[in-house]
């Protein structure tokens, strides 16, 4: 009898211990998720990533309270394929038609598939998106005068307040759920996208746009208040759904062109209008964080902040129209830090981005060097909310939740990562410190690629032979700027990674 009690105690406590361990791994309560997706903000654009000519106190606060990643990525180096990959968990190159969308493109995500919002809705979340969409709406060519569907509501969002594409193209109107906001039926919207690429051909609110919009005058957005509206609608969504688990994607238009910051942000950076729009972005982040604090939701909210692709100075040129000589005004600000390449490129500057997670008490604060990608959010959110994914769901999404939380000691969540440009005519492969960079097949096709910009010494060196004519290999541990091609010294690694890249592009993960 002497030992009976301890034995009994051990038997009783063992299952309890197991339950506690499970609770720790899988939170009993569902945290709100706020996913802040910047547009074209590069690796070096925030103070916490080394910027000195623009101040970003709110982003820096988030980073100091959470985990700052040094190797966080989008899947693609331009908007549409990047956003497609985030929402579907599928590499964009697997689906035709995922290149940069016009403003009259049909929805490019199949409504039946499991997306990030559809998954979270299944877990009992109320889901919303505010801001930039750029994934097509309805059926091409989109009719903006009636009920617009399919769109965000057909792929899992309960609420949507969106700009259909980007402010550099028509239509320049807000869409709330399935309707254009403030549309006068007597003044229907007509779009003309016969000239979609190249020089902007029409002016709205005095700003050049790609494509032409006639009609819809009462519905036109006010460019200088785009951020104000996105912040207000985001905070209103949070306020409205404070009593239930919610997922909110805050898809800012900052800092994409045309850069039209509110006058109160003009001149607030030391690197021109581009910098001023970063200040405006930071303000938006502050509005969202303050709302979470005020409603006492911060402790129960996983905030993720990242960008859809790397930085670029003046793609499409509207900044110049504002009378700002961008290169000069940029004042040497290294928007992609030490990285080589810009938006549109498959050098690291195209897809390696600021990536910050915060969930007090759950996310370790500090810095993480783990390789993660936005394509992994689907599987990670499935793990977070205790849901299983069918094999066809998010075929390229890996559960990187341990990395997002900053758990130590495990092996890296992601071994390989494919990086692509707009139409996957240029792809790269990451594996640990290695970066395989095959030639850019689209480089010689006119109009297929974005113009490289020479910004700092690393850029200048690498641009000498831009685009690459042969397969290259870099070791990012000692050459983060991708200036020293060491393919010739490592034929075995080139062969292994080339075979792996071909295999991934053909099939599974
Ligand atoms: Ca973008």
């Amino acid at each position: 009898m002497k030992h009976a009690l301890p034995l009994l105690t051990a038997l009783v406590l063992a299952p309890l211990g197991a339950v506690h361990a499970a609770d720790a791994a899988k939170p009993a309560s569902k945290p709100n998720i706020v996913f802040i997706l910047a547009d074209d903000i590069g690796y070096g654009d925030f103070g916490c990533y080394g910027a000195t000519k623009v101040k970003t106190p709110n982003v820096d606060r988030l980073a100091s309270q959470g985990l700052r990643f040094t190797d966080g990525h989008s899947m693609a180096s331009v908007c549409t394929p990047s956003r497609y990959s985030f929402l579907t968990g599928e590499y964009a190159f697997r689906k035709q038609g995922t290149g940069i969308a016009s403003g009259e493109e049909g929805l490019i995500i199949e409504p039946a598939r499991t997306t990030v919002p559809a998954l979270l809705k299944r877990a009992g979340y109320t889901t919303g998106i505010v801001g930039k969409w750029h994934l097509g709406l309805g059926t091409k060519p989109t009719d903006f005068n009636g009920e617009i569907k399919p769109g965000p509501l057909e792929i899992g969002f309960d609420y949507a307040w969106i700009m259909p594409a980007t402010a550099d193209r028509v239509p320049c109107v807000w869409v709330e759920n399935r309707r254009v906001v403030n549309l006068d039926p007597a003044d229907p919207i007509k779009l003309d996208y016969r000239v979609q690429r190249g020089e902007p051909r029409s002016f709205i609110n005095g700003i050049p746009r790609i494509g032409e919009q006639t009609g819809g005058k009462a519905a036109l957005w006010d460019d200088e208040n785009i951020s104000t509206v996105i912040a207000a609608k985001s905070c209103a969504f949070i306020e409205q759904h404070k009593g239930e688990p919610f997922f909110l994607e805050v898809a800012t238009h900052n800092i994409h062109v045309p850069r039209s910051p509110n006058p109160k942000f003009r001149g607030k950076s030391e690197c021109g209008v581009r910098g001023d729009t970063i200040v405006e972005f930071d303000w938006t982040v502050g509005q969202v964080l303050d709302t979470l604090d005020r409603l006492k939701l911060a402790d129960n909210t996983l905030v993720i902040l990242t960008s859809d692709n790397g930085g670029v100075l003046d793609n499409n040129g509207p900044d110049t129209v504002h009378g700002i000589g961008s290169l000069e005004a940029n004042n040497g600000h290294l928007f992609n830090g030490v990285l080589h390449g810009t938006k549109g490129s498959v050098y690291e500057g195209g897809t390696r981005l600021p990536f910050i997670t915060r969930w007090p008490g759950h996310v370790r604060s500090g810095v993480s060097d783990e390789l993660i990608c936005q394509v992994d959010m689907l599987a990670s959110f499935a793990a977070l909310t205790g849901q299983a994914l069918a094999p066809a769901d998010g075929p390229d999404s890996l559960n990187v939740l341990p990395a997002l939380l900053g758990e130590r000691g495990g092996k890296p969540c992601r071994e390989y990562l494919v990086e692509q440009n707009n139409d996957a005519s240029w792809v790269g492969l990451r594996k640990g410190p290695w970066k395989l960079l095959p030639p850019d097949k689209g480089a010689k096709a006119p109009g297929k690629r974005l113009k490289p910009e020479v910004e700092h010494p690393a850029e200048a060196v690498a641009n000498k032979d831009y685009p690459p004519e042969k397969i290259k290999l870099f070791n990012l541990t000692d050459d983060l700027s991708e200036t020293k091609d060491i393919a010739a010294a490592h034929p075995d690694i080139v062969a292994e990674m080339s075979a792996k890249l071909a295999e991934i592009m053909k099939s599974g993960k």
Side-chain angles (χ1 to χ4, degrees):
M1 286 305 291
K2 193 178 167 188
H3 300 289
L5 188 58
L7 182 63
L8 184 65
T9 307
L11 285 172
V12 169
L13 287 182
L16 281 176
V19 168
H20 288 155
D23 280 349
K26 196 185 294 175
S29 64
K30 295 182 178 119
N32 307 309
I33 302 172
V34 174
F35 190 84
I36 303 174
L37 187 61
D39 195 358
D40 293 7
I41 279 185
Y43 192 68
D45 272 331
F46 298 140
C48 54
Y49 281 88
T52 57
K53 290 172 180 170
V54 54
K55 304 288 182 232
T56 54
N58 292 298
V59 174
D60 298 351
R61 164 160 79 101
L62 190 74
S64 72
Q65 295 168 339
L67 189 58
R68 184 174 68 81
F69 287 81
T70 63
D71 206 359
H73 289 254
S74 61
M75 190 265 146
S77 60
V78 292
C79 303
T80 303
S82 167
R83 287 157 197 261
Y84 176 86
S85 300
F86 157 57
L87 285 173
T88 64
E90 178 178 70
Y91 283 148
F93 61 73
R94 298 202 193 286
K95 185 173 165 70
Q96 287 289 311
T98 51
I100 300 172
S102 80
E104 60 174 5
E105 189 61 54
L107 180 67
I108 63 171
I109 298 175
E110 307 96 304
R113 76 180 301 153
T114 297
T115 61
V116 164
L119 172 98
L120 292 172
K121 195 169 167 166
R122 221 153 61 200
Y125 282 66
T126 299
T127 57
I129 177 167
V130 173
K132 171 165 162 170
W133 178 244
H134 211 183
L135 291 159
L137 287 168
T139 309
K140 186 178 183 176
T142 317
D143 178 2
F144 284 93
N145 297 301
E147 192 179 50
I148 307 161
K149 61 188 281 195
L153 271 53
E154 280 67 39
I155 66 144
F157 285 107
D158 294 308
Y159 176 75
W161 175 283
I162 54 169
M163 45 203 316
T166 300
D168 70 358
R169 65 203 60 201
V170 296
C172 299
V173 297
W174 295 107
V175 171
E176 184 174 30
N177 296 325
R178 299 189 180 101
R179 297 271 176 188
V180 170
V181 178
N182 290 335
L183 180 65
D184 175 1
D187 183 28
I189 294 170
K190 291 194 197 84
L191 304 183
D192 183 349
Y193 260 96
R194 278 175 298 183
V195 178
Q196 182 187 146
R197 315 291 289 172
E199 289 303 307
R201 62 193 298 250
S202 64
F203 280 76
I204 291 175
N205 296 346
I207 295 170
R209 319 283 174 167
I210 297 170
E212 201 164 52
Q213 175 184 340
T214 48
K217 288 204 168 38
L220 291 178
W221 63 47
D222 173 4
D223 285 85
E224 289 184 340
N225 277 315
I226 286 176
S227 292
T228 314
V229 170
I230 289 175
K233 293 290 173 188
S234 297
C235 295
F237 180 91
I238 293 170
E239 177 101 44
Q240 196 180 345
H241 299 287
K242 62 188 174 199
E244 57 197 344
F246 63 81
F247 165 68
L248 174 64
E249 179 180 345
V250 182
T252 72
H253 186 260
N254 287 134
I255 63 163
H256 197 286
V257 294
R259 301 188 180 114
S260 310
N262 188 278
K264 69 183 175 189
F265 299 109
R266 285 265 176 182
K268 295 293 189 223
S269 77
E270 296 168 40
C271 44
V273 172
R274 189 180 179 283
D276 297 347
T277 57
I278 297 172
V279 176
E280 189 174 56
F281 171 81
D282 185 72
W283 171 84
T284 305
V285 172
Q287 295 291 300
V288 171
L289 297 184
D290 289 351
T291 301
L292 293 173
D293 287 343
R294 178 170 58 78
L295 299 172
K296 301 196 177 356
L297 295 173
D299 285 350
N300 192 35
T301 301
L302 169 61
V303 178
I304 299 177
L305 185 150
T306 184
S307 176
D308 69 338
N309 53 252
V312 69
L313 260 193
D314 200 12
N315 169 233
N316 290 348
D319 275 5
T320 323
V321 175
H322 287 160
I324 307 294
S326 292
L327 194 60
E328 193 182 328
N330 189 53
N331 195 18
H333 167 65
L334 299 181
F335 49 85
N336 289 331
V338 301
L339 305 181
H340 172 52
T342 63
K343 171 181 183 174
S345 143
V346 187
Y347 284 105
E348 289 294 287
T351 65
R352 189 189 290 227
L353 306 159
F355 203 117
I356 300 166
T357 60
R358 186 193 77 174
W359 181 17
H362 298 268
V363 168
R364 167 178 68 83
S365 64
V367 177
S368 171
D369 296 330
E370 265 219 59
L371 174 65
I372 57 167
C373 180
Q374 290 157 17
V375 76
D376 299 326
M377 296 306 103
L378 184 76
S380 303
F381 294 164
L384 177 70
T385 55
Q387 298 188 82
L389 286 175
D393 295 340
D396 300 297
S397 191
L398 299 179
N399 174 15
V400 300
L401 185 61
L404 298 180
L405 299 178
E407 290 173 5
R408 296 180 195 272
K411 65 173 198 150
C413 295
R414 180 172 266 291
E415 188 179 6
Y416 293 96
L417 175 67
V418 177
E419 303 166 355
Q420 73 162 70
N421 68 340
N422 181 29
D423 58 1
S425 58
W426 197 12
V427 292
L429 184 68
R430 285 286 312 278
K431 182 193 181 188
W434 301 104
K435 166 78 170 279
L436 184 82
L437 193 62
D440 175 1
K441 291 183 195 141
K444 291 193 173 72
K448 266 208 151 185
R449 61 158 39 255
L450 302 168
K451 203 174 125 204
E453 290 166 339
V454 178
E455 263 303 286
H456 56 82
E459 289 279 339
V461 170
N463 271 329
K464 271 200 293 190
D465 56 353
Y466 190 100
E469 298 296 337
K470 60 182 181 62
I471 201 159
K472 292 185 175 186
L473 181 73
F474 303 102
N475 185 323
L476 303 181
T477 302
D478 31 65
D479 180 25
L480 189 52
S481 301
E482 295 171 280
T483 57
K484 288 173 281 202
D485 172 21
I486 51 173
H490 299 280
D492 50 335
I493 294 169
V494 170
E496 186 247 311
M497 289 182 72
S498 298
K500 188 70 189 179
L501 180 58
E503 181 197 323
I504 295 172
M505 292 200 71
K506 216 162 113 184
S507 59
K509 304 185 191 189

